[in-house]
Amino acid sequence: MGTILQAVEILLRPYRQRLLIGGALFLAGLALGLIYGWYIAPVEWTDAAPVDLRRDYRANYLRLLADATRAGFLRVEESAGWLGQRWNPRDAAQEIRRLAAQETDPARRAVMEQLAAAWEQAPAPPAPARGGIPSYCIVGLAGLILLGIAFFLLRRRTPQAVPRRLTPAPAAAPAGPMRTPAAPEPPAPIEAYPAFGAPPLAQRQVTYKLGDDHFDLSFPIELPNGEFLGEFGVGISETIGVGDPAKVTAFEVWLFDKNDIKTVTKVLASEHAYRDTALQARLRQKGDLVLASPGAIVELETQGLRLQARVAELEYGSGALPPNSFFSRLTLDLAAWRKEEEETA
């Protein structure tokens, strides 16, 4: 089951934004339709069959049949036809007998007994065809299920925020941030990275700041003519400690290749996470570990794509947690190449 879900996630990932927007519009339209159908213009029932009437109105209808028969407007043999096609005459006979037992007028009671005796001998109407579930209901239900699965798969990468306290947390980072011992050199442009013989098809610089609990970015890899080749991105992989904002101790950098139908992931870990045995075991299940340090380069490769992520700026937060255990700021330069262009350049 996990393999199937992963395959579906890979196939839907290029259309994530469109699916989310379409799903939101679908749910909004469904809600507006329900409001219109239930409150603005509700359904009004007309021309109901006798059997569909409320019990007291049904009793009045049977009394009217008895009075019409008593007055000579209706013959006993014809009365069963006035019950409608969906009312079984035997059921109507039982109901009119109950009314006859409560009737105080002897003449009307006698007519009711005659009608009951005649209806008990009348043939039962043909059974109505089973209505079943309308096809549009089945299609709508299936669409909702597929939409829910797609939404779940596409949002799996979004980290869950830590529950907020009743008092708002300060927006600024903790006082006295501790930088790494060696101050990084000014980040070089991506073109100055180890060359692959061709400019990258896509390059981005992303920055995480403490408090961005929903940090999860993705970017497409496309040819100049607009052909989609894959996607790459970075997001929160692991947090540490409790409280608000979340303390991120590791990020995951991933590369998706449309032609390879595969997503490669590596984990960029803080010094504490890189050396902690328990965190190591948990993070290695997501991908290879790389120690986050100024200038460190994470490389990912698939059958047709290559991605480089360079740590351009790194800053740890301080507090009650172990030293160098969570990031207060991290800047990555991301660049993606097509391996065919590297070989032919």
Side-chain angles (χ1 to χ4, degrees):
M1 186 65 179
T3 305
I4 297 177
L5 291 178
Q6 185 178 10
V8 174
E9 178 186 7
I10 291 173
L11 292 175
L12 294 179
R13 179 174 291 164
Y15 313 101
R16 171 168 52 188
Q17 195 69 19
R18 297 177 184 176
L19 285 174
L20 292 178
I21 295 176
L25 293 176
F26 174 80
L27 293 177
L30 179 63
L32 292 176
L34 290 175
I35 293 173
Y36 181 83
W38 281 97
Y39 299 104
I40 299 178
V43 176
E44 296 181 1
W45 296 96
T46 58
D47 300 328
V51 72
D52 294 324
L53 298 176
R54 205 171 64 191
R55 187 170 183 177
D56 53 342
Y57 288 116
R58 208 162 54 227
N60 291 337
Y61 183 81
L62 293 176
R63 291 190 183 96
L64 289 174
L65 285 182
D67 291 342
T69 305
R70 176 183 172 186
F73 296 109
L74 183 67
R75 293 188 301 173
V76 175
E77 296 78 7
E78 300 173 344
S79 60
W82 286 83
L83 297 176
Q85 298 180 354
R86 295 176 49 236
W87 199 350
N88 192 321
R90 292 179 178 82
D91 297 336
Q94 295 179 3
E95 193 160 346
I96 200 172
R97 282 191 188 278
R98 287 194 297 269
L99 294 175
Q102 304 170 3
E103 186 59 51
T104 59
D105 185 354
R108 179 189 278 179
R109 182 168 57 247
V111 173
M112 287 183 173
E113 293 290 348
Q114 293 178 9
L115 293 176
W119 293 348
E120 288 176 345
Q121 303 299 323
R130 294 183 178 272
I133 302 176
S135 59
Y136 62 85
C137 291
I138 299 177
V139 173
L141 181 61
L144 286 175
I145 294 174
L146 292 177
L147 180 65
I149 294 175
F151 184 81
F152 169 75
L153 292 175
L154 296 175
R155 298 299 296 174
R156 272 174 57 188
R157 304 189 66 91
T158 302
Q160 297 192 8
V162 180
R164 296 187 177 273
R165 298 192 296 265
L166 294 178
T167 56
M178 181 176 61
R179 292 185 175 271
T180 52
E185 295 293 332
I190 295 177
E191 290 78 0
Y193 287 7
F196 297 119
L201 289 176
Q203 54 183 2
R204 294 288 190 279
Q205 184 178 80
V206 298
T207 299
Y208 162 81
K209 296 179 181 179
L210 183 66
D212 188 1
D213 294 349
H214 297 279
F215 181 76
D216 184 18
L217 303 176
S218 61
F219 308 98
I221 304 174
E222 298 175 339
L223 292 176
N225 60 8
E227 179 185 354
F228 178 80
L229 299 179
E231 199 173 16
F232 65 95
V234 58
I236 296 175
S237 179
E238 189 75 24
T239 59
I240 189 173
V242 295
D244 200 20
K247 313 300 188 299
V248 181
T249 191
F251 294 89
E252 57 183 52
V253 182
W254 53 270
L255 172 64
F256 163 69
D257 188 343
K258 180 193 72 172
N259 297 320
D260 201 7
I261 312 298
K262 180 171 66 174
T263 299
V264 181
T265 303
K266 288 190 177 182
V267 179
L268 195 62
S270 65
E271 291 184 12
H272 173 75
Y274 190 80
R275 294 179 172 82
D276 185 89
T277 306
L279 281 174
Q280 276 188 17
R282 189 157 61 247
L283 293 175
R284 287 188 189 279
Q285 297 177 359
K286 304 177 182 181
D288 296 337
L289 285 185
V290 178
L291 175 62
S293 59
I297 294 179
V298 181
E299 292 191 358
L300 298 91
E301 289 190 32
T302 61
Q303 180 179 347
L305 299 174
R306 182 194 299 268
L307 175 71
Q308 268 197 2
R310 175 186 175 186
V311 180
E313 185 180 3
L314 171 65
E315 185 176 329
Y316 286 114
S318 63
L321 295 173
N324 297 355
S325 59
F326 68 96
F327 300 93
S328 65
R329 184 182 180 91
L330 178 71
T331 299
L332 295 176
D333 287 329
L334 303 167
W337 287 265
R338 187 180 186 185
K339 294 173 73 172
E340 292 180 4
E341 294 186 357
E342 300 172 19
E343 297 169 358
T344 57

